[in-house]
Amino acid sequence: MDVMEVIKARRSIRKFKKDPIPDEALKKLLEAFKSAPSSKNTQPWRLVVIRERETLRRLADLTKYGKFLAEAPLAIAVVACPKKSDWAIVDATLATYNMVLAAAEMGLGTCWIGTMDRERAKELLGIPEDMFLLTVIPVGYPAEVPPPTPRKPVECIVYYERYGRRVPTAAVAA
Ligand SMILES: Cc1cc2nc3c(=O)[nH]c(=O)nc-3n(C[C@H](O)[C@H](O)[C@H](O)COP(=O)(O)O)c2cc1C
C-alpha cells in the first residue's frame, strides 16, 4: 500500500484477535516510531512494550474508554519527556502516528487511548514522575473493522491566503 492508501484504510480498532504479534512486526513498529522527526532532533520519548496480561488488564481498568486494552495481545505505552524539550508531546504524538500507520500497513489494528488515570498508570508501569504518559496504544490483528468515521469536507476546513477566505486563488509565482 502507498502512504495515502494506508492513511485512508486505517481505523481505530477496539476488538482484537488473540494471535500474538510477531517479533518482526513489533520491530517494524518501533523502527517507524523512532524514525519520526522531532524538534532539534531531541527524540524526547520512551516506549514501554507491554505483553503481560495482568498489566494489560490493570491498565485497561485505569482508562475511561479503553477497556478493550485488556484483550489486546500487546500494547505500547508512549512516554514524552518534557524536561528534554518544550515540544516533547508534539514530537511523541508525531512518532506515535508513524507507528500507527506502520501498523495499519502490516494489517495490525491500533487505537489511541487518551483518557486514563495517568498517575496510577505511570505507577503501574514504573514511569518516572517527571515523564508524561501520552497514550497507551493496543496493538493486535483486528477482530472487527468498523466502518469509516465521517470527516468534514475539505471545503469546510481549508481557507486560502487568509483565514475565512474560501475561494482558492491562482498560484502566484515568486
Ligand atoms: C487524542 C485522541 C484520544 C483518543 N482517545 C480514545 C480513547 O480513549 N478510547 C477510544 O476508544 N478511542 C480514542 N480515540 C480514537 C478516536 O475516537 C478515533 O480516532 C475517532 O473516532 C476517529 O475514528 P478512526 O480513528 O477510526 O478514524 C482517540 C483519538 C485521539 C486522536
Side-chain angles (χ1 to χ4, degrees):
M1 280 197 276
D2 71 21
V3 174
M4 201 61 193
E5 283 174 328
V6 179
I7 289 171
K8 298 293 261 184
R10 183 212 56 83
R11 302 271 181 280
S12 287
I13 300 299
R14 299 179 178 89
K15 213 162 185 214
F16 301 100
K17 293 181 181 166
K18 289 200 182 317
D19 309 49
I21 308 303
D23 285 344
E24 270 314 299
L26 175 61
K27 226 169 129 185
K28 244 175 142 173
L29 295 181
L30 304 179
E31 191 66 31
F33 184 99
K34 71 158 213 180
S35 302
S38 62
S39 169
K40 297 181 187 162
N41 200 24
T42 41
Q43 304 167 59
W45 48 51
R46 292 289 185 272
L47 298 175
V48 183
V49 176
I50 309 153
R51 294 190 213 250
E52 287 172 3
R53 183 61 43 206
E54 188 50 27
T55 308
L56 291 166
R57 286 200 186 110
R58 288 170 67 190
L59 261 182
D61 277 346
L62 296 174
T63 71
K64 194 158 185 194
Y65 307 111
K67 304 300 178 201
F68 49 90
L69 185 58
E71 308 301 328
L74 181 151
I76 300 176
V78 180
V79 181
C81 321
K83 268 191 167 170
K84 288 210 163 106
S85 167
D86 290 345
W87 294 98
I89 289 174
V90 173
D91 293 340
T93 303
L94 291 176
T96 303
Y97 200 61
N98 255 19
M99 184 166 74
V100 161
L101 288 182
E105 200 270 334
M106 290 188 278
L108 287 167
T110 59
C111 184
W112 187 292
I113 294 179
T115 309
M116 68 187 91
D117 183 335
R118 282 190 161 67
E119 286 318 307
R120 287 178 62 199
K122 278 172 65 174
E123 219 173 282
L124 176 64
L125 299 175
I127 296 168
E129 189 117 322
D130 58 351
M131 307 279 216
F132 180 72
L133 173 57
L134 178 65
T135 178
V136 178
I137 306 279
V139 183
Y141 292 98
E144 214 170 73
V145 179
T149 46
R151 294 294 187 271
K152 293 174 183 162
V154 166
E155 305 80 69
C156 292
I157 60 167
V158 179
Y159 304 128
Y160 295 89
E161 314 306 338
R162 295 289 182 278
Y163 194 93
R165 194 178 290 172
R166 291 199 185 274
V167 185
T169 47
V172 181

